Each structure stands twice: as C-alpha cells, then as structure tokens.
Amino acid sequence: MTHCAGYRAAAVARTSRVHSVGIDAERDEPLPEGVLEMIGLPEERAMVGRLAARNPALSWDRLLFSCKEAVYKVFFPLARRMLGFDAVRVDIAGAGRFGARFLVPPPMAAGRAVPRVTGRWLRRDGLLLTAVALC
C-alpha cells in the first residue's frame, strides 16, 4: 500500500507467482533540506546530482527516496526485520528502471538469497511512482 497527497494505491499478487511486492508514491517535489543526506549514501547523492544536472525538472532526490521505500516494502515480508536507509544502494536508470543491492544479509525467497532487486519508476501527473515485484 502507498499514499501521498491526492493519491492512494494498493498492489496484490498471488503468492504462487510473486514472493513479495513493494510500491511507493510521492509528490514530484524536492525533499526537505537535509533529508537527502539522511537517506542517501554518498554514491547515491552523487548519482542524484548527475541526474539533476541532466534533467533538473524531475525531483531525483525524492525519486531515490521512493525507490528505497518500494525496496523496503519488498524486503520486510521476506526478512521480517527493518531495513535502514544505509542498508540498500539504489542505482536509478533514466529509462524508468532502477536496481537496488542489499548491503546487509539479503532476504530469502524460495530458499535462495536475493542480494539484488530491480524495479520500475514512472513520473506522471505530478507524482513519482515506484514498484518492485520479486518473482
């Protein structure tokens, strides 16, 4: 489930096909001052700076936050433990895709460790939407 001002959504899937799913929605607005430093690893902050230099109209810092939120929502049902912002590294691709690598012991799905997940992102109607489905 996710929600932000003016938007609410839920995602469901059959457990026979999907191990875990995570979605997030955020307004396409810059994060408050100081938040990027709290949620972003140094490499992620540098990535946000490069992406913003190429396309300053998109709130890349908020997109990073949303990607991490979607990843956390995939992680928790599998690992049954909280995940800090510094426990996952996100790489955002400009083509609506992102990858995330766990920097802590990864979750298990179908008896196998899952050290990395991939997801999709979309910018539409003033929103940033992210989703990860672990099949």
Side-chain angles (χ1 to χ4, degrees), residues 10-67:
V12 296
R14 293 187 184 276
T15 56
S16 61
R17 298 190 60 164
V18 177
H19 299 291
S20 189
V21 65
I23 62 173
D24 191 60
E26 301 287 335
R27 301 296 310 168
D28 185 7
E29 301 169 350
L31 289 172
E33 188 72 32
V35 174
L36 179 59
E37 290 72 26
M38 291 176 14
I39 64 112
L41 299 170
E43 304 89 356
E44 293 170 328
R45 294 192 307 265
M47 173 192 63
V48 164
R50 288 189 305 273
L51 291 167
R54 281 189 253 151
N55 181 359
L58 195 147
S59 300
W60 295 100
D61 57 346
R62 183 78 65 162
L63 180 59
L64 173 64
F65 178 84
S66 185
C67 291

